[in-house]
Amino acid sequence: MNPLSLNQRTTKSWTVAQAVDGCVRHGLESVGLWREEVAEQGLAASAKLVRTAGLRVSSLCRGGFLTAAASLDASLEDNRLAIDEAAELGAACLVLVVGGLPGVVPGRPLEGVVSRDLAGARERVAEALAELAPYAGERNVRLALEPLHPIYCPDRAVVSTLGQALDLAMMYPSEQVGVVVDTFHVWWDPQVFEQIARAGERIASYQVCDYLHPLPADVLLGRGMMGDGVIDFPPITRAVLAAGYTGDIEVEIFNADIWAADPDEVVASMKRRYAEVVV
């Protein structure tokens, strides 16, 4: 099995059909899909494209954003829909980015009513997960909690460490709730190796990209091709594999220059760097 997977966001300009075709042409066996592009292609059409190509869906991104108390019902409904989509696609997991402080909008200045109750936001994540995990289990979908680097705590994820994610996940059967190990988000954590070992079978997805320095003005786009930043990948990869992970390894990059480049060149570079830098 070739575990290298193209997360669709790395080649942002590609549709689902183009990403599937690109994976086949470049000899990849799996693809990570995003809900927006799946909706544009059509859910049934996307599932058929993947099956016909013989690809695995390494993940579906993304569900989550569970912290806004005023719209919790709408968020839960959207996440149930995302679970149904993951089931139709046969995705290995549905990635959950849990959400930031209520009232803080990603990429925008603070305005209006903003909550500073971090503990309360984290409690809402736990309450929402209690609603979603059984629903996912009934549909044979695995939720994958993704801790995000602390720079994203205000607006995207109040779960910042692998340890926090595991504390939430371990309330449920491992086939219902796991965690994402994303190098960009966890490389800095002094407990990362301890927590990877603790995670064991809970690791639902392993995602790689580099952490650029300095970060760009828009820190969301601070992910780089492996080898272009400061992360030492082999020890993390060894730890993930030693923990028992046997799934796909996704390359997920948010970077304006990479998005502007020729997608085929990006995938070719991704394959080289994976072999040279990651493993």
Side-chain angles (χ1 to χ4, degrees), residues 220-237:
L220 182 65
L221 305 184
R223 294 167 171 254
M225 187 65 71
M226 298 81 71
D228 287 349
V230 299
I231 297 177
D232 186 12
F233 289 93
I236 301 175
T237 300

Side-chain angles (χ1 to χ4, degrees), residues 81-121:
L81 179 60
I83 291 167
D84 293 341
E85 293 166 1
E88 176 70 18
L89 292 164
C93 64
L94 171 66
V95 175
L96 298 186
V97 174
V98 298
L101 293 170
V104 180
V105 180
R108 296 184 188 176
L110 297 181
E111 57 184 25
V113 178
V114 172
S115 171
R116 291 171 173 81
D117 183 6
L118 180 57

Side-chain angles (χ1 to χ4, degrees), residues 11-266:
T11 51
K12 190 173 184 290
S13 64
W14 271 354
T15 65
V16 171
Q18 290 171 323
V20 167
D21 179 66
C23 285
V24 171
R25 285 187 289 103
H26 286 274
L28 304 180
E29 299 175 5
S30 57
V31 62
L33 298 177
W34 277 69
R35 294 182 66 201
E36 294 88 343
E37 283 75 14
V38 167
E40 290 176 3
Q41 190 78 50
L43 177 59
S46 296
K48 183 178 180 180
L49 281 166
V50 171
R51 287 195 301 268
T52 301
L55 297 180
R56 300 181 297 274
V57 178
S58 51
S59 73
L60 177 65
C61 292
R62 64 194 176 192
F65 291 91
L66 307 168
T67 55
S71 58
L72 181 57
D73 288 344
S75 176
L76 289 173
E77 184 59 32
D78 182 64
N79 276 276
R80 293 187 189 100
L81 179 60
I83 291 167
D84 293 341
E85 293 166 1
E88 176 70 18
L89 292 164
C93 64
L94 171 66
V95 175
L96 298 186
V97 174
V98 298
L101 293 170
V104 180
V105 180
R108 296 184 188 176
L110 297 181
E111 57 184 25
V113 178
V114 172
S115 171
R116 291 171 173 81
D117 183 6
L118 180 57
R122 288 173 173 156
E123 181 60 31
R124 279 190 284 278
V125 173
E127 293 169 355
L129 196 59
E131 295 283 338
L132 295 173
Y135 187 88
E138 291 169 1
R139 286 149 184 81
N140 296 314
V141 170
R142 195 178 197 191
L143 305 178
L145 295 170
E146 182 170 17
L148 266 57
H149 191 285
I151 56 175
Y152 301 114
C153 185
D155 59 352
R156 287 184 170 85
V158 295
V159 172
S160 302
T161 67
L162 191 54
Q164 287 177 299
L166 284 169
D167 288 344
L168 289 166
M170 286 183 171
M171 301 293 291
Y172 305 95
S174 61
E175 64 270 16
Q176 286 186 11
V177 185
V179 295
V180 180
V181 177
D182 183 320
T183 55
F184 179 89
H185 295 302
V186 305
W187 72 275
W188 60 275
D189 186 349
Q191 291 189 335
V192 66
F193 296 109
E194 174 187 336
Q195 295 302 327
I196 288 173
R198 176 190 172 205
E201 65 180 5
R202 294 275 176 180
I203 301 175
S205 177
Y206 179 38
Q207 296 181 333
V208 297
C209 71
D210 220 330
Y211 189 101
L212 299 180
H213 183 79
L215 290 171
D218 184 350
V219 294
L220 182 65
L221 305 184
R223 294 167 171 254
M225 187 65 71
M226 298 81 71
D228 287 349
V230 299
I231 297 177
D232 186 12
F233 289 93
I236 301 175
T237 300
R238 287 195 295 268
V240 168
L241 298 180
Y245 182 70
T246 58
D248 293 305
I249 300 176
E250 279 188 11
V251 176
E252 182 188 54
I253 302 175
F254 292 66
N255 182 291
D257 291 336
I258 288 175
W259 287 348
D262 181 281
D264 281 295
E265 294 180 2
V266 170

